[in-house]
Amino acid sequence: MATAMPGQQIPKKSDMGLPETVLKTMPSDSESDGSEDLSQKSPTLGGEKDGASLEAGEGKQPIEDEKIEKPEPRMDGGIDAWMQVVSCFCLYINTWGIINSFGVFQTYYSNHFLSDHSQSAISWIGSVQGSLLLIMGFLTGPLYDAGYMRHMIALGSILSIVGMMLTSICKEYYQFFLAQGVLVGLGTGLVFLPSMSILPQFWSKKKALAQGIASLGSSIGAMIYPVIFRQLILHADFGWATRTMAFCMLALSVIPIIFMHQRMPTQSIRSLFDKSLAHDVPYLIYCAAFFFGFMGIYIPFFYIEQYGLQRGDVSQGLAPYLLVIVNGGSVLGRLIPNYIADKIGPLETHVPMASCGAILVFAWIAIRNVPGVIVFCVLYGIFSGTFVSLGGPMCATLAKDLKGFGTRMGLSIGIAGIGLLVGNPIAGAVLDSQAGWPGLQAWSGALMALSSLLLGGLCIVRIRKRRKGSGS
């Protein structure tokens, strides 16, 4: 122990709460007052950084920095996570719920306002509307990654609602095309990508099920909107039927505008195309599969009502509800398979469901009676619901991380949108040709079969990569 200077008293070990080894490291010339409490001095105790001083003082700071830099963990539950599901549910009603309801507009236009136009020309309105919803992903993906999600939702909601309001006063083909096809398509395109991309930030182990619950909005909207339209057509007119749909969209837009937010750190606006994706073979196969899949999957949605009337012996009273039955079946297709996907994987669940959907569309050629049409509608709703709802979880599974996920998701749905743009008008042209209904059905089935084959190939690629990584 050091010898006490005159008038100086060295504190006892018990008074200071420090070990004797630390006391020996303190220079005597730094003590200005013998009664001073050494515990109030700098944690480094004179600037020397031995093991004891780091434990006493400096060891805490790196831990604090680490906590600041570490991103928040995902949470599979809680009010905030569930509010994202509810918000996405509302967005699905206002996007795919509207798109999947176009079949009632197709039939109404062909019998009233646009009776002098071909089926192919009328279907261009719905195809442009649906394809813009997807093609806008090229733009919305980078904007989403840059943190503009809430701006996109607000602007997109305004455009789609205004588009439906304008549709209610349209009389000519070009007016319907611009208002319902272009304006509604642009609006829904701005809000759709957030509904597919936000949930993986809040859900990890149950992201497929969460996405499936949210995507139920597509089925619910596509069941409710056609009924609203048909009932108001009978008791009011086309204008008020369409405006009522717009008012419903307005009310549902409030929830996502208030509650949706991003948890991942935002980035600077990226280019529309990430060059690294050109070398990602599984991702390229995934994009190709969805391109062909979306070319064919919505053909029955557009034409099932007309088919029921012309070939299925369906009455005028039942025909408007065929689309409702299809979307009712998709409720099962968005819940049960998505629950299974969280257990065995989204891709492994998607492949058999997509294959069954393709087989069912080929079987559609032989259906000529009411019971057969109804069974087809239920089963096709199940398979198509799985096809659409597992797209986002599959893309998230193929990604190494969620940084830049908006760009990745946006590019894939943009490519799918190009397929949707051309698929239905070609189907309409085939229907107007000598091939008729069998040609339209074969066209849809062939596209879905090709999509299934590509997804099967993607499964093989992933299995080989796993084996290569494990060294087996």
Side-chain angles (χ1 to χ4, degrees):
M1 297 292 291
T3 305
M5 298 293 293
Q8 182 181 18
Q9 181 180 1
I10 298 179
K12 295 180 181 180
K13 176 180 177 182
S14 59
D15 294 334
M16 294 164 35
L18 295 173
E20 186 177 355
T21 56
V22 178
L23 296 175
K24 290 181 179 180
T25 63
M26 296 186 294
S28 60
D29 57 354
S30 65
E31 300 172 0
S32 59
D33 186 0
S35 63
E36 181 181 355
D37 185 359
L38 295 179
S39 65
Q40 302 298 322
K41 290 184 177 291
S42 170
T44 60
L45 299 179
E48 299 182 48
K49 300 181 180 179
D50 59 6
S53 65
L54 286 172
E55 182 180 355
E58 290 185 355
K60 297 180 180 179
Q61 187 62 31
I63 297 177
E64 294 176 358
D65 292 342
E66 183 179 353
K67 288 182 179 179
I68 294 175
E69 295 175 359
K70 187 176 180 180
E72 295 182 15
R74 296 175 186 155
M75 55 180 186
D76 284 291
I79 294 177
D80 194 20
W82 279 110
M83 286 310 301
Q84 307 309 307
V85 175
V86 173
S87 298
C88 292
F89 177 86
C90 295
L91 291 181
Y92 268 98
I93 292 178
N94 284 351
T95 53
W96 285 114
I98 293 293
I99 303 299
N100 291 346
S101 301
F102 185 77
V104 295
F105 287 95
Q106 173 98 12
T107 302
Y108 186 83
Y109 292 159
S110 64
N111 294 326
H112 296 83
F113 294 121
L114 306 177
S115 58
D116 57 337
H117 289 73
S118 67
Q119 294 291 340
S120 179
I122 297 173
S123 67
W124 269 107
I125 300 173
S127 292
V128 169
Q129 183 187 60
S131 62
L132 281 177
L133 180 148
L134 298 171
I135 293 174
M136 285 290 289
F138 289 122
L139 174 64
T140 57
L143 291 175
Y144 173 88
D145 289 334
Y148 291 99
M149 183 189 73
R150 303 189 74 169
H151 301 79
M152 291 157 50
I153 294 173
L155 178 59
S157 298
I158 293 172
L159 289 178
S160 56
I161 293 168
V162 171
M164 289 300 290
M165 290 289 187
L166 292 176
T167 300
S168 69
I169 60 175
C170 292
K171 301 295 182 182
E172 302 294 334
Y173 178 84
Y174 77 92
Q175 296 172 342
F176 287 109
F177 185 88
L178 293 177
Q180 189 173 14
V182 176
L183 196 56
V184 175
L186 290 174
T188 54
L190 283 171
V191 304
F192 174 60
L193 185 132
S195 68
M196 290 195 70
S197 302
I198 193 65
L199 293 183
Q201 296 186 17
F202 292 83
W203 299 83
S204 177
K205 296 179 181 179
K206 299 180 179 179
K207 62 177 178 289
L209 180 60
Q211 190 71 51
I213 294 173
S215 68
L216 284 177
S218 173
S219 303
I220 300 299
M223 287 190 291
I224 293 175
Y225 284 139
V227 173
I228 291 174
F229 182 83
R230 283 294 182 183
Q231 292 301 315
L232 290 178
I233 283 291
L234 296 176
H235 298 91
D237 57 18
F238 172 81
W240 274 110
T242 309
R243 281 192 289 273
T244 301
M245 295 172 65
F247 284 126
C248 292
M249 295 169 65
L250 175 61
L252 291 168
S253 299
V254 175
I255 295 176
I257 290 175
I258 294 176
F259 291 103
M260 283 188 72
H261 66 93
Q262 294 171 273
R263 291 185 62 197
M264 297 294 291
T266 58
Q267 307 172 12
S268 59
I269 297 181
R270 297 177 173 222
S271 61
L272 296 181
F273 178 72
D274 186 352
K275 295 181 180 180
S276 65
L277 297 178
H279 306 285
D280 191 338
V281 176
Y283 176 76
L284 294 177
I285 297 175
Y286 164 82
C287 290
F290 267 69
F291 171 79
F292 292 109
F294 272 82
M295 281 186 73
I297 195 170
Y298 281 98
I299 292 174
F301 282 84
F302 278 41
Y303 292 99
I304 187 61
E305 184 176 338
Q306 292 183 56
Y307 180 83
L309 290 170
Q310 297 179 14
R311 303 289 292 270
D313 198 25
V314 176
S315 66
Q316 290 284 346
L318 177 60
Y321 295 96
L322 293 179
L323 192 58
V324 176
I325 296 173
V326 173
N327 288 291
S330 71
V331 171
L332 297 175
R334 295 169 190 272
L335 285 180
I336 299 175
N338 286 55
Y339 175 80
I340 298 174
D342 284 324
K343 307 296 182 182
I344 67 174
L347 180 60
E348 290 77 5
T349 306
H350 197 289
V351 171
M353 296 297 286
S355 301
C356 290
I359 295 171
L360 181 64
V361 173
F362 282 115
W364 182 24
I365 299 175
I367 297 175
R368 300 293 179 85
N369 54 58
V370 176
V373 171
I374 293 176
V375 171
F376 170 81
C377 289
V378 174
L379 294 178
Y380 189 75
I382 294 173
F383 297 131
S384 63
T386 304
F387 187 96
V388 174
S389 64
L390 282 180
M394 267 201 303
C395 189
T397 301
L398 295 174
K400 295 180 180 179
D401 54 60
L402 294 181
K403 293 181 179 179
F405 179 68
T407 301
R408 175 182 286 262
M409 190 74 243
L411 180 61
S412 64
I413 65 174
I415 293 173
I418 297 174
L420 178 59
L421 176 65
V422 300
N424 288 303
I426 293 176
V430 172
L431 179 61
D432 291 334
S433 69
Q434 294 182 352
W437 285 108
L440 177 145
Q441 293 158 327
W443 167 248
S444 176
L447 292 169
M448 294 184 65
L450 180 57
S451 175
S452 302
L453 289 174
L454 288 170
L455 289 172
L458 179 55
C459 268
I460 295 174
V461 170
R462 283 177 58 80
I463 292 173
R464 288 181 176 177
K465 288 187 69 174
R466 289 172 186 170
R467 290 179 177 177
K468 185 177 180 180
S470 62
S472 60

